[in-house]
PDB file of all heavy atoms in Angstrom:
ATOM      1  N   LEU A   1       6.931   4.234   2.434  1.00 96.00           N
ATOM      2  CA  LEU A   1       5.939   3.498   1.673  1.00 96.00           C
ATOM      3  C   LEU A   1       4.630   3.137   2.675  1.00 96.00           C
ATOM      4  O   LEU A   1       3.598   3.098   2.250  1.00 96.00           O
ATOM      5  CB  LEU A   1       6.528   2.160   1.413  1.00 96.00           C
ATOM      6  CG  LEU A   1       7.539   2.288   0.242  1.00 96.00           C
ATOM      7  CD1 LEU A   1       8.111   0.915  -0.028  1.00 96.00           C
ATOM      8  CD2 LEU A   1       6.917   2.849  -1.004  1.00 96.00           C
ATOM      9  N   PRO A   2       4.805   3.079   4.038  1.00 96.00           N
ATOM     10  CA  PRO A   2       3.624   2.841   4.875  1.00 96.00           C
ATOM     11  C   PRO A   2       2.543   4.007   4.689  1.00 96.00           C
ATOM     12  O   PRO A   2       1.443   3.841   4.796  1.00 96.00           O
ATOM     13  CB  PRO A   2       4.162   2.925   6.255  1.00 96.00           C
ATOM     14  CG  PRO A   2       5.537   2.353   6.150  1.00 96.00           C
ATOM     15  CD  PRO A   2       5.989   3.057   4.894  1.00 96.00           C
ATOM     16  N   GLU A   3       3.006   5.194   4.357  1.00 98.00           N
ATOM     17  CA  GLU A   3       2.181   6.343   4.082  1.00 98.00           C
ATOM     18  C   GLU A   3       1.869   6.581   2.688  1.00 98.00           C
ATOM     19  O   GLU A   3       0.684   6.737   2.276  1.00 98.00           O
ATOM     20  CB  GLU A   3       2.930   7.670   4.592  1.00 98.00           C
ATOM     21  CG  GLU A   3       2.064   8.919   4.320  1.00 98.00           C
ATOM     22  CD  GLU A   3       2.806  10.123   4.726  1.00 98.00           C
ATOM     23  OE1 GLU A   3       3.666  10.118   5.630  1.00 98.00           O
ATOM     24  OE2 GLU A   3       2.569  11.161   4.114  1.00 98.00           O
ATOM     25  N   MET A   4       2.836   6.412   1.813  1.00 98.00           N
ATOM     26  CA  MET A   4       2.716   6.614   0.355  1.00 98.00           C
ATOM     27  C   MET A   4       1.855   5.667  -0.321  1.00 98.00           C
ATOM     28  O   MET A   4       0.992   5.978  -1.138  1.00 98.00           O
ATOM     29  CB  MET A   4       4.085   6.670  -0.383  1.00 98.00           C
ATOM     30  CG  MET A   4       5.049   7.864  -0.005  1.00 98.00           C
ATOM     31  SD  MET A   4       6.651   7.643  -0.707  1.00 98.00           S
ATOM     32  CE  MET A   4       6.509   7.534  -2.362  1.00 98.00           C
ATOM     33  N   THR A   5       2.047   4.239  -0.020  1.00 98.00           N
ATOM     34  CA  THR A   5       1.298   3.335  -0.928  1.00 98.00           C
ATOM     35  C   THR A   5      -0.154   3.389  -0.651  1.00 98.00           C
ATOM     36  O   THR A   5      -0.894   3.503  -1.687  1.00 98.00           O
ATOM     37  CB  THR A   5       1.879   2.005  -0.605  1.00 98.00           C
ATOM     38  OG1 THR A   5       3.319   2.026  -0.716  1.00 98.00           O
ATOM     39  CG2 THR A   5       1.269   0.895  -1.558  1.00 98.00           C
ATOM     40  N   PRO A   6      -0.787   3.460   0.537  1.00 98.00           N
ATOM     41  CA  PRO A   6      -2.243   3.560   0.585  1.00 98.00           C
ATOM     42  C   PRO A   6      -2.723   4.962   0.122  1.00 98.00           C
ATOM     43  O   PRO A   6      -3.726   5.000  -0.510  1.00 98.00           O
ATOM     44  CB  PRO A   6      -2.359   3.597   2.190  1.00 98.00           C
ATOM     45  CG  PRO A   6      -1.135   2.962   2.759  1.00 98.00           C
ATOM     46  CD  PRO A   6      -0.096   3.244   1.921  1.00 98.00           C
ATOM     47  N   LYS A   7      -1.917   6.023   0.216  1.00 98.00           N
ATOM     48  CA  LYS A   7      -2.335   7.254  -0.196  1.00 98.00           C
ATOM     49  C   LYS A   7      -2.612   7.312  -1.764  1.00 98.00           C
ATOM     50  O   LYS A   7      -3.610   7.739  -2.251  1.00 98.00           O
ATOM     51  CB  LYS A   7      -1.368   8.432   0.143  1.00 98.00           C
ATOM     52  CG  LYS A   7      -1.596   9.687  -0.429  1.00 98.00           C
ATOM     53  CD  LYS A   7      -0.541  10.821  -0.010  1.00 98.00           C
ATOM     54  CE  LYS A   7      -0.798  12.120  -0.656  1.00 98.00           C
ATOM     55  NZ  LYS A   7       0.306  13.138  -0.283  1.00 98.00           N
ATOM     56  N   TYR A   8      -1.497   6.825  -2.449  1.00 98.00           N
ATOM     57  CA  TYR A   8      -1.645   6.798  -3.910  1.00 98.00           C
ATOM     58  C   TYR A   8      -2.373   5.567  -4.454  1.00 98.00           C
ATOM     59  O   TYR A   8      -2.938   5.686  -5.591  1.00 98.00           O
ATOM     60  CB  TYR A   8      -0.239   6.806  -4.552  1.00 98.00           C
ATOM     61  CG  TYR A   8       0.514   8.098  -4.224  1.00 98.00           C
ATOM     62  CD1 TYR A   8       1.777   8.114  -3.551  1.00 98.00           C
ATOM     63  CD2 TYR A   8      -0.103   9.200  -4.433  1.00 98.00           C
ATOM     64  CE1 TYR A   8       2.375   9.179  -3.160  1.00 98.00           C
ATOM     65  CE2 TYR A   8       0.481  10.434  -4.183  1.00 98.00           C
ATOM     66  CZ  TYR A   8       1.799  10.466  -3.457  1.00 98.00           C
ATOM     67  OH  TYR A   8       2.556  11.601  -3.121  1.00 98.00           O
ATOM     68  N   ALA A   9      -2.634   4.523  -3.685  1.00 98.00           N
ATOM     69  CA  ALA A   9      -3.517   3.483  -4.049  1.00 98.00           C
ATOM     70  C   ALA A   9      -4.993   3.882  -4.169  1.00 98.00           C
ATOM     71  O   ALA A   9      -5.780   3.405  -4.885  1.00 98.00           O
ATOM     72  CB  ALA A   9      -3.396   2.248  -3.189  1.00 98.00           C
ATOM     73  N   ALA A  10      -5.213   4.938  -3.501  1.00 98.00           N
ATOM     74  CA  ALA A  10      -6.634   5.578  -3.599  1.00 98.00           C
ATOM     75  C   ALA A  10      -6.975   6.303  -4.924  1.00 98.00           C
ATOM     76  O   ALA A  10      -8.010   6.828  -5.211  1.00 98.00           O
ATOM     77  CB  ALA A  10      -6.921   6.457  -2.418  1.00 98.00           C
ATOM     78  N   MET A  11      -5.703   6.399  -5.750  1.00 98.00           N
ATOM     79  CA  MET A  11      -5.859   7.169  -7.057  1.00 98.00           C
ATOM     80  C   MET A  11      -5.406   6.469  -8.205  1.00 98.00           C
ATOM     81  O   MET A  11      -5.849   6.691  -9.287  1.00 98.00           O
ATOM     82  CB  MET A  11      -5.028   8.417  -6.897  1.00 98.00           C
ATOM     83  CG  MET A  11      -5.508   9.536  -5.858  1.00 98.00           C
ATOM     84  SD  MET A  11      -4.395  11.019  -5.887  1.00 98.00           S
ATOM     85  CE  MET A  11      -3.293  10.494  -4.589  1.00 98.00           C
ATOM     86  N   TYR A  12      -4.408   5.552  -7.961  1.00 98.00           N
ATOM     87  CA  TYR A  12      -3.693   4.902  -9.112  1.00 98.00           C
ATOM     88  C   TYR A  12      -3.596   3.266  -8.784  1.00 98.00           C
ATOM     89  O   TYR A  12      -3.637   2.948  -7.709  1.00 98.00           O
ATOM     90  CB  TYR A  12      -2.329   5.380  -9.255  1.00 98.00           C
ATOM     91  CG  TYR A  12      -2.124   6.891  -9.669  1.00 98.00           C
ATOM     92  CD1 TYR A  12      -2.198   7.762  -8.599  1.00 98.00           C
ATOM     93  CD2 TYR A  12      -2.191   7.268 -10.969  1.00 98.00           C
ATOM     94  CE1 TYR A  12      -1.950   9.086  -9.109  1.00 98.00           C
ATOM     95  CE2 TYR A  12      -2.077   8.612 -11.420  1.00 98.00           C
ATOM     96  CZ  TYR A  12      -2.023   9.483 -10.421  1.00 98.00           C
ATOM     97  OH  TYR A  12      -1.883  10.760 -10.786  1.00 98.00           O
ATOM     98  N   ASN A  13      -3.321   2.526  -9.988  1.00 98.00           N
ATOM     99  CA  ASN A  13      -2.684   1.252  -9.742  1.00 98.00           C
ATOM    100  C   ASN A  13      -1.339   1.473  -9.234  1.00 98.00           C
ATOM    101  O   ASN A  13      -0.600   2.318  -9.916  1.00 98.00           O
ATOM    102  CB  ASN A  13      -2.719   0.488 -11.022  1.00 98.00           C
ATOM    103  CG  ASN A  13      -4.083   0.079 -11.656  1.00 98.00           C
ATOM    104  OD1 ASN A  13      -4.855  -0.419 -10.805  1.00 98.00           O
ATOM    105  ND2 ASN A  13      -4.227   0.384 -12.813  1.00 98.00           N
ATOM    106  N   VAL A  14      -0.941   0.785  -8.195  1.00 99.00           N
ATOM    107  CA  VAL A  14       0.522   1.209  -7.603  1.00 99.00           C
ATOM    108  C   VAL A  14       1.313  -0.264  -7.439  1.00 99.00           C
ATOM    109  O   VAL A  14       0.803  -1.142  -7.216  1.00 99.00           O
ATOM    110  CB  VAL A  14       0.295   1.902  -6.200  1.00 99.00           C
ATOM    111  CG1 VAL A  14      -0.343   3.235  -6.432  1.00 99.00           C
ATOM    112  CG2 VAL A  14      -0.363   0.984  -5.191  1.00 99.00           C
ATOM    113  N   ILE A  15       2.646   0.047  -7.412  1.00 98.00           N
ATOM    114  CA  ILE A  15       3.613  -0.984  -7.191  1.00 98.00           C
ATOM    115  C   ILE A  15       4.544  -0.540  -6.098  1.00 98.00           C
ATOM    116  O   ILE A  15       5.005   0.653  -6.216  1.00 98.00           O
ATOM    117  CB  ILE A  15       4.424  -1.338  -8.415  1.00 98.00           C
ATOM    118  CG1 ILE A  15       3.493  -1.755  -9.583  1.00 98.00           C
ATOM    119  CG2 ILE A  15       5.368  -2.480  -8.165  1.00 98.00           C
ATOM    120  CD1 ILE A  15       2.661  -2.821  -9.438  1.00 98.00           C
ATOM    121  N   ASP A  16       4.939  -1.327  -5.044  1.00 98.00           N
ATOM    122  CA  ASP A  16       6.016  -0.973  -4.151  1.00 98.00           C
ATOM    123  C   ASP A  16       6.820  -2.085  -3.912  1.00 98.00           C
ATOM    124  O   ASP A  16       6.603  -3.221  -4.174  1.00 98.00           O
ATOM    125  CB  ASP A  16       5.434  -0.191  -2.887  1.00 98.00           C
ATOM    126  CG  ASP A  16       4.928  -1.217  -1.866  1.00 98.00           C
ATOM    127  OD1 ASP A  16       5.217  -2.304  -1.848  1.00 98.00           O
ATOM    128  OD2 ASP A  16       4.145  -0.594  -0.921  1.00 98.00           O
ATOM    129  N   SER A  17       7.977  -1.744  -3.204  1.00 96.00           N
ATOM    130  CA  SER A  17       9.012  -2.825  -2.733  1.00 96.00           C
ATOM    131  C   SER A  17       9.005  -2.826  -1.186  1.00 96.00           C
ATOM    132  O   SER A  17      10.121  -3.017  -0.776  1.00 96.00           O
ATOM    133  CB  SER A  17      10.228  -2.432  -3.435  1.00 96.00           C
ATOM    134  OG  SER A  17      10.851  -1.325  -3.123  1.00 96.00           O
ATOM    135  N   PHE A  18       8.008  -2.796  -0.575  1.00 95.00           N
ATOM    136  CA  PHE A  18       7.887  -2.751   0.911  1.00 95.00           C
ATOM    137  C   PHE A  18       8.667  -3.949   1.387  1.00 95.00           C
ATOM    138  O   PHE A  18       8.236  -5.137   1.082  1.00 95.00           O
ATOM    139  CB  PHE A  18       6.550  -2.615   1.434  1.00 95.00           C
ATOM    140  CG  PHE A  18       6.387  -2.469   2.962  1.00 95.00           C
ATOM    141  CD1 PHE A  18       6.641  -1.321   3.561  1.00 95.00           C
ATOM    142  CD2 PHE A  18       6.079  -3.646   3.649  1.00 95.00           C
ATOM    143  CE1 PHE A  18       6.489  -1.169   5.013  1.00 95.00           C
ATOM    144  CE2 PHE A  18       5.979  -3.555   5.033  1.00 95.00           C
ATOM    145  CZ  PHE A  18       6.163  -2.215   5.723  1.00 95.00           C
ATOM    146  N   ASP A  19       9.741  -3.831   2.235  1.00 92.00           N
ATOM    147  CA  ASP A  19      10.476  -5.126   2.590  1.00 92.00           C
ATOM    148  C   ASP A  19      10.639  -5.327   4.106  1.00 92.00           C
ATOM    149  O   ASP A  19      11.459  -5.990   4.397  1.00 92.00           O
ATOM    150  CB  ASP A  19      11.871  -5.074   1.887  1.00 92.00           C
ATOM    151  CG  ASP A  19      12.688  -3.882   2.398  1.00 92.00           C
ATOM    152  OD1 ASP A  19      12.248  -3.123   3.193  1.00 92.00           O
ATOM    153  OD2 ASP A  19      13.922  -3.826   1.923  1.00 92.00           O
ATOM    154  N   THR A  20       9.759  -4.698   4.884  1.00 89.00           N
ATOM    155  CA  THR A  20       9.794  -4.976   6.334  1.00 89.00           C
ATOM    156  C   THR A  20       8.871  -6.071   6.608  1.00 89.00           C
ATOM    157  O   THR A  20       7.700  -6.003   6.718  1.00 89.00           O
ATOM    158  CB  THR A  20       9.362  -3.675   7.116  1.00 89.00           C
ATOM    159  OG1 THR A  20      10.199  -2.574   6.856  1.00 89.00           O
ATOM    160  CG2 THR A  20       9.606  -4.034   8.707  1.00 89.00           C
ATOM    161  N   HIS A  21       9.402  -7.368   6.552  1.00 90.00           N
ATOM    162  CA  HIS A  21       8.742  -8.596   6.606  1.00 90.00           C
ATOM    163  C   HIS A  21       7.679  -8.676   7.702  1.00 90.00           C
ATOM    164  O   HIS A  21       6.528  -8.988   7.386  1.00 90.00           O
ATOM    165  CB  HIS A  21       9.647  -9.761   6.648  1.00 90.00           C
ATOM    166  CG  HIS A  21      10.400  -9.965   5.464  1.00 90.00           C
ATOM    167  ND1 HIS A  21      10.160 -10.990   4.512  1.00 90.00           N
ATOM    168  CD2 HIS A  21      11.593  -9.417   5.082  1.00 90.00           C
ATOM    169  CE1 HIS A  21      11.077 -10.995   3.729  1.00 90.00           C
ATOM    170  NE2 HIS A  21      11.965 -10.032   3.958  1.00 90.00           N
ATOM    171  N   ALA A  22       8.005  -8.138   8.890  1.00 91.00           N
ATOM    172  CA  ALA A  22       7.087  -8.304   9.991  1.00 91.00           C
ATOM    173  C   ALA A  22       5.868  -7.400   9.900  1.00 91.00           C
ATOM    174  O   ALA A  22       4.715  -7.711  10.376  1.00 91.00           O
ATOM    175  CB  ALA A  22       7.736  -7.881  11.350  1.00 91.00           C
ATOM    176  N   ASN A  23       6.034  -6.359   9.015  1.00 95.00           N
ATOM    177  CA  ASN A  23       4.774  -5.377   9.025  1.00 95.00           C
ATOM    178  C   ASN A  23       4.063  -5.554   7.660  1.00 95.00           C
ATOM    179  O   ASN A  23       3.134  -4.709   7.400  1.00 95.00           O
ATOM    180  CB  ASN A  23       5.382  -3.906   9.040  1.00 95.00           C
ATOM    181  CG  ASN A  23       6.037  -3.639  10.370  1.00 95.00           C
ATOM    182  OD1 ASN A  23       5.779  -4.263  11.407  1.00 95.00           O
ATOM    183  ND2 ASN A  23       6.856  -2.634  10.367  1.00 95.00           N
ATOM    184  N   ILE A  24       4.369  -6.672   6.891  1.00 97.00           N
ATOM    185  CA  ILE A  24       3.663  -6.766   5.610  1.00 97.00           C
ATOM    186  C   ILE A  24       2.212  -6.968   5.752  1.00 97.00           C
ATOM    187  O   ILE A  24       1.353  -6.367   5.042  1.00 97.00           O
ATOM    188  CB  ILE A  24       4.351  -7.908   4.781  1.00 97.00           C
ATOM    189  CG1 ILE A  24       5.632  -7.495   4.224  1.00 97.00           C
ATOM    190  CG2 ILE A  24       3.279  -8.395   3.701  1.00 97.00           C
ATOM    191  CD1 ILE A  24       6.408  -8.557   3.406  1.00 97.00           C
ATOM    192  N   PRO A  25       1.735  -7.759   6.738  1.00 98.00           N
ATOM    193  CA  PRO A  25       0.298  -7.944   7.005  1.00 98.00           C
ATOM    194  C   PRO A  25      -0.523  -6.692   7.159  1.00 98.00           C
ATOM    195  O   PRO A  25      -1.622  -6.451   6.581  1.00 98.00           O
ATOM    196  CB  PRO A  25       0.037  -8.892   8.126  1.00 98.00           C
ATOM    197  CG  PRO A  25       1.427  -9.735   8.099  1.00 98.00           C
ATOM    198  CD  PRO A  25       2.441  -8.782   7.573  1.00 98.00           C
ATOM    199  N   ALA A  26       0.088  -5.773   7.957  1.00 98.00           N
ATOM    200  CA  ALA A  26      -0.655  -4.489   8.278  1.00 98.00           C
ATOM    201  C   ALA A  26      -0.604  -3.509   7.044  1.00 98.00           C
ATOM    202  O   ALA A  26      -1.625  -2.940   6.672  1.00 98.00           O
ATOM    203  CB  ALA A  26      -0.062  -3.795   9.437  1.00 98.00           C
ATOM    204  N   HIS A  27       0.494  -3.514   6.336  1.00 98.00           N
ATOM    205  CA  HIS A  27       0.769  -2.712   5.201  1.00 98.00           C
ATOM    206  C   HIS A  27      -0.309  -3.352   4.035  1.00 98.00           C
ATOM    207  O   HIS A  27      -0.902  -2.454   3.351  1.00 98.00           O
ATOM    208  CB  HIS A  27       2.213  -2.870   4.624  1.00 98.00           C
ATOM    209  CG  HIS A  27       2.547  -1.957   3.543  1.00 98.00           C
ATOM    210  ND1 HIS A  27       2.354  -0.509   3.567  1.00 98.00           N
ATOM    211  CD2 HIS A  27       2.911  -2.348   2.188  1.00 98.00           C
ATOM    212  CE1 HIS A  27       2.710  -0.006   2.321  1.00 98.00           C
ATOM    213  NE2 HIS A  27       3.072  -1.049   1.479  1.00 98.00           N
ATOM    214  N   PHE A  28      -0.414  -4.533   3.991  1.00 98.00           N
ATOM    215  CA  PHE A  28      -1.284  -5.128   2.975  1.00 98.00           C
ATOM    216  C   PHE A  28      -2.736  -4.653   3.288  1.00 98.00           C
ATOM    217  O   PHE A  28      -3.427  -4.244   2.257  1.00 98.00           O
ATOM    218  CB  PHE A  28      -1.283  -6.772   2.893  1.00 98.00           C
ATOM    219  CG  PHE A  28      -2.028  -7.415   1.888  1.00 98.00           C
ATOM    220  CD1 PHE A  28      -1.484  -7.713   0.674  1.00 98.00           C
ATOM    221  CD2 PHE A  28      -3.265  -7.636   2.293  1.00 98.00           C
ATOM    222  CE1 PHE A  28      -2.501  -8.369  -0.070  1.00 98.00           C
ATOM    223  CE2 PHE A  28      -4.259  -8.249   1.288  1.00 98.00           C
ATOM    224  CZ  PHE A  28      -3.637  -8.624   0.116  1.00 98.00           C
ATOM    225  N   ALA A  29      -3.071  -4.758   4.466  1.00 98.00           N
ATOM    226  CA  ALA A  29      -4.370  -4.298   4.804  1.00 98.00           C
ATOM    227  C   ALA A  29      -4.830  -2.896   4.500  1.00 98.00           C
ATOM    228  O   ALA A  29      -5.921  -2.569   3.909  1.00 98.00           O
ATOM    229  CB  ALA A  29      -4.688  -4.631   6.368  1.00 98.00           C
ATOM    230  N   ASN A  30      -3.854  -2.006   4.876  1.00 98.00           N
ATOM    231  CA  ASN A  30      -3.865  -0.572   4.502  1.00 98.00           C
ATOM    232  C   ASN A  30      -4.093  -0.310   2.982  1.00 98.00           C
ATOM    233  O   ASN A  30      -4.985   0.466   2.610  1.00 98.00           O
ATOM    234  CB  ASN A  30      -2.789   0.260   5.074  1.00 98.00           C
ATOM    235  CG  ASN A  30      -2.858   0.143   6.593  1.00 98.00           C
ATOM    236  OD1 ASN A  30      -3.804   0.081   7.206  1.00 98.00           O
ATOM    237  ND2 ASN A  30      -1.603   0.531   7.143  1.00 98.00           N
ATOM    238  N   VAL A  31      -3.237  -0.993   2.209  1.00 98.00           N
ATOM    239  CA  VAL A  31      -3.217  -0.725   0.863  1.00 98.00           C
ATOM    240  C   VAL A  31      -4.572  -1.404   0.187  1.00 98.00           C
ATOM    241  O   VAL A  31      -5.235  -0.931  -0.732  1.00 98.00           O
ATOM    242  CB  VAL A  31      -1.962  -1.381   0.139  1.00 98.00           C
ATOM    243  CG1 VAL A  31      -2.040  -1.132  -1.404  1.00 98.00           C
ATOM    244  CG2 VAL A  31      -0.774  -0.624   0.694  1.00 98.00           C
ATOM    245  N   ASP A  32      -4.957  -2.564   0.723  1.00 98.00           N
ATOM    246  CA  ASP A  32      -6.124  -3.270   0.310  1.00 98.00           C
ATOM    247  C   ASP A  32      -7.447  -2.386   0.412  1.00 98.00           C
ATOM    248  O   ASP A  32      -8.167  -2.240  -0.492  1.00 98.00           O
ATOM    249  CB  ASP A  32      -6.358  -4.609   0.921  1.00 98.00           C
ATOM    250  CG  ASP A  32      -7.324  -5.342   0.425  1.00 98.00           C
ATOM    251  OD1 ASP A  32      -7.189  -5.776  -0.823  1.00 98.00           O
ATOM    252  OD2 ASP A  32      -8.266  -5.940   1.110  1.00 98.00           O
ATOM    253  N   ALA A  33      -7.535  -1.693   1.525  1.00 98.00           N
ATOM    254  CA  ALA A  33      -8.674  -0.897   1.797  1.00 98.00           C
ATOM    255  C   ALA A  33      -8.833   0.287   0.887  1.00 98.00           C
ATOM    256  O   ALA A  33      -9.854   0.565   0.157  1.00 98.00           O
ATOM    257  CB  ALA A  33      -8.722  -0.368   3.082  1.00 98.00           C
ATOM    258  N   ALA A  34      -7.652   0.961   0.524  1.00 98.00           N
ATOM    259  CA  ALA A  34      -7.521   2.110  -0.310  1.00 98.00           C
ATOM    260  C   ALA A  34      -7.805   1.712  -1.754  1.00 98.00           C
ATOM    261  O   ALA A  34      -8.562   2.369  -2.523  1.00 98.00           O
ATOM    262  CB  ALA A  34      -6.272   2.749  -0.145  1.00 98.00           C
ATOM    263  N   SER A  35      -7.094   0.633  -2.144  1.00 98.00           N
ATOM    264  CA  SER A  35      -7.270   0.283  -3.676  1.00 98.00           C
ATOM    265  C   SER A  35      -8.561  -0.415  -4.068  1.00 98.00           C
ATOM    266  O   SER A  35      -9.075  -0.098  -5.069  1.00 98.00           O
ATOM    267  CB  SER A  35      -6.050  -0.820  -4.026  1.00 98.00           C
ATOM    268  OG  SER A  35      -6.091  -1.853  -3.165  1.00 98.00           O
ATOM    269  N   ARG A  36      -9.164  -1.196  -3.053  1.00 98.00           N
ATOM    270  CA  ARG A  36     -10.601  -1.583  -3.224  1.00 98.00           C
ATOM    271  C   ARG A  36     -11.582  -0.486  -3.416  1.00 98.00           C
ATOM    272  O   ARG A  36     -12.492  -0.480  -4.358  1.00 98.00           O
ATOM    273  CB  ARG A  36     -11.009  -2.702  -2.242  1.00 98.00           C
ATOM    274  CG  ARG A  36     -10.346  -4.007  -2.337  1.00 98.00           C
ATOM    275  CD  ARG A  36     -10.951  -4.985  -1.442  1.00 98.00           C
ATOM    276  NE  ARG A  36     -10.024  -6.207  -1.446  1.00 98.00           N
ATOM    277  CZ  ARG A  36     -10.227  -7.044  -2.284  1.00 98.00           C
ATOM    278  NH1 ARG A  36     -11.069  -7.041  -3.343  1.00 98.00           N
ATOM    279  NH2 ARG A  36      -9.426  -8.198  -2.413  1.00 98.00           N
ATOM    280  N   ALA A  37     -11.405   0.538  -2.596  1.00 98.00           N
ATOM    281  CA  ALA A  37     -12.329   1.657  -2.645  1.00 98.00           C
ATOM    282  C   ALA A  37     -12.254   2.436  -3.980  1.00 98.00           C
ATOM    283  O   ALA A  37     -13.210   2.927  -4.489  1.00 98.00           O
ATOM    284  CB  ALA A  37     -12.133   2.560  -1.437  1.00 98.00           C
ATOM    285  N   ALA A  38     -11.022   2.411  -4.451  1.00 98.00           N
ATOM    286  CA  ALA A  38     -10.775   3.237  -5.655  1.00 98.00           C
ATOM    287  C   ALA A  38     -11.033   2.234  -6.953  1.00 98.00           C
ATOM    288  O   ALA A  38     -10.905   2.879  -8.105  1.00 98.00           O
ATOM    289  CB  ALA A  38      -9.359   3.763  -5.742  1.00 98.00           C
ATOM    290  N   GLY A  39     -11.213   0.910  -6.864  1.00 98.00           N
ATOM    291  CA  GLY A  39     -11.248   0.040  -7.922  1.00 98.00           C
ATOM    292  C   GLY A  39      -9.834  -0.176  -8.725  1.00 98.00           C
ATOM    293  O   GLY A  39      -9.842  -0.446  -9.784  1.00 98.00           O
TER     294      GLY A  39
END
């Protein structure tokens, strides 16, 4: 998911179940950048 979610967020509306609590802030930032750029 750290690789897949940002990659596909640049193309689609995406849902994931990322559950590594300590890494959620960084994962959120990566997905946010990709999904905002794609609308």
Side-chain angles (χ1 to χ4, degrees):
L1 296 177
E3 176 185 333
M4 290 169 58
T5 309
K7 176 181 178 179
Y8 296 125
M11 296 181 266
Y12 295 92
N13 296 313
V14 296
I15 307 296
D16 80 16
S17 59
F18 184 79
D19 66 359
T20 307
H21 289 261
N23 296 338
I24 286 176
H27 185 60
F28 182 94
N30 292 336
V31 177
D32 191 53
S35 56
R36 285 191 186 279

